Amino acid sequence: MTAGTLVRLAALAALALLLLRPELFAGFFALFANPEQPVIYNQGNLLNITVSHVAIVAVAVLASSVVAVALGILVTRPAGADFLPLSRAIANIGQTFPPVAVLALTVPLLGFGTAPTLVALFLYGLLPVFENTLAGFTTLPSSVIEAARGMGMTGRQRLLKVELPLALPVILAGVRLSTVIALATATIGSTVAARTLGEVIIAGLLSSNTAFVLQGGLIVGALAILIHDALSALERWLTARNGQKGRS
């Protein structure tokens, strides 16, 4: 077992303990709170808040990945090539439009809660997956595509049996980037009453309790690192299985 694996396992164990038994860390967080302040977040259950945070991110990333991959496939087909500039513009707008502005615009339409946060994360997650889907499909070896065509495969068969499996590690790299961005961005959802780890950070800021801010930040950071590593491992496995060493 490598040192990196041991560090990741230690981080996973520490995160699990913090969520299940936060009182075990009271001595550490007491270093960052005033004597009269609570040292462990006491306005909700950290585990439940974390589960809600991850669920919101998962739904948003799944939705943006499905749309971005579908657009990427469409514009790499001869019939959809003309839509590439429009599709890229849509993905770029979603990435460059500030999530806070999206929340401000969607709250009057959708109300407070999870829905505005899902819209903001969905728009923010489109570009990495879309661009990686384009890269995955446009850099496939032409000899492989020609061989599939020579075997008599239809366009649908080439897409599902050859192109998509080969492009999958590159697409997954975009999903990984989108997920890490969404994990951090989701914290602002608490400003419109979404149940995310942002409420722990905001509670700390409002009460000048650094221990609360640290708890929210550490949990988000640990989740981002662990999920990033897990998806990276999946990419490596897919790349090795396809015999595409170094492509992703």
Side-chain angles (χ1 to χ4, degrees):
M1 188 175 291
T2 65
T5 303
L6 288 174
V7 170
R8 293 180 182 89
L9 289 176
L12 179 60
L15 176 62
L17 279 177
L18 177 58
L19 296 178
L20 296 172
R21 299 286 302 278
E23 67 275 9
L24 296 178
F25 297 83
F28 170 73
F29 289 115
L31 299 173
F32 305 95
N34 294 326
E36 69 277 6
Q37 292 179 319
V39 296
I40 300 298
Y41 185 65
N42 57 358
Q43 300 172 32
N45 183 286
L46 281 176
L47 177 60
N48 291 340
I49 298 171
T50 302
V51 170
S52 176
H53 185 104
V54 172
I56 290 171
V57 169
V59 170
V61 171
L62 177 63
S64 59
S65 297
V66 168
V67 172
V69 171
L71 282 176
I73 292 174
L74 172 66
V75 299
T76 53
R77 307 299 102 181
D82 291 342
F83 293 100
L84 175 58
L86 176 62
S87 299
R88 180 164 270 155
I90 293 172
N92 277 321
I93 290 172
Q95 179 74 28
T96 55
F97 209 73
V100 174
V102 176
L103 293 179
L105 292 172
T106 52
V107 163
L109 299 173
L110 303 175
F112 286 90
T114 302
T117 307
L118 285 173
V119 173
L121 296 181
F122 167 78
L123 293 175
Y124 219 52
L126 285 174
L127 185 61
V129 183
F130 177 73
E131 290 295 343
N132 273 51
T133 302
L134 285 183
F137 279 98
T138 57
T139 59
L140 290 174
S142 57
S143 57
V144 175
I145 306 302
E146 289 303 319
R149 188 177 284 114
M151 292 173 65
M153 287 187 174
T154 64
R156 180 185 178 87
Q157 288 173 327
R158 289 198 301 274
L159 171 64
L160 297 179
K161 295 183 177 181
V162 179
E163 295 180 66
L164 190 57
L166 291 175
L168 196 54
V170 183
I171 296 172
L172 191 57
V175 175
R176 169 169 53 83
L177 180 58
S178 179
T179 303
V180 172
I181 292 172
L183 280 167
T185 308
T187 55
I188 66 170
S190 292
T191 60
V192 294
R195 195 162 175 75
T196 74
L197 288 162
E199 74 175 65
V200 183
I201 298 172
I202 292 171
L205 293 173
L206 293 176
S207 60
S208 299
N209 188 335
T210 307
F212 285 3
V213 177
L214 197 56
Q215 283 161 52
L218 284 175
I219 293 172
V220 171
L223 285 172
I225 291 172
L226 292 171
I227 292 174
H228 176 279
D229 284 352
L231 292 176
S232 294
L234 181 57
E235 287 169 39
R236 290 193 294 272
W237 179 78
L238 287 171
T239 301
R241 191 190 67 166
N242 292 338
Q244 297 174 292
K245 188 174 182 179
R247 183 165 182 259
S248 66

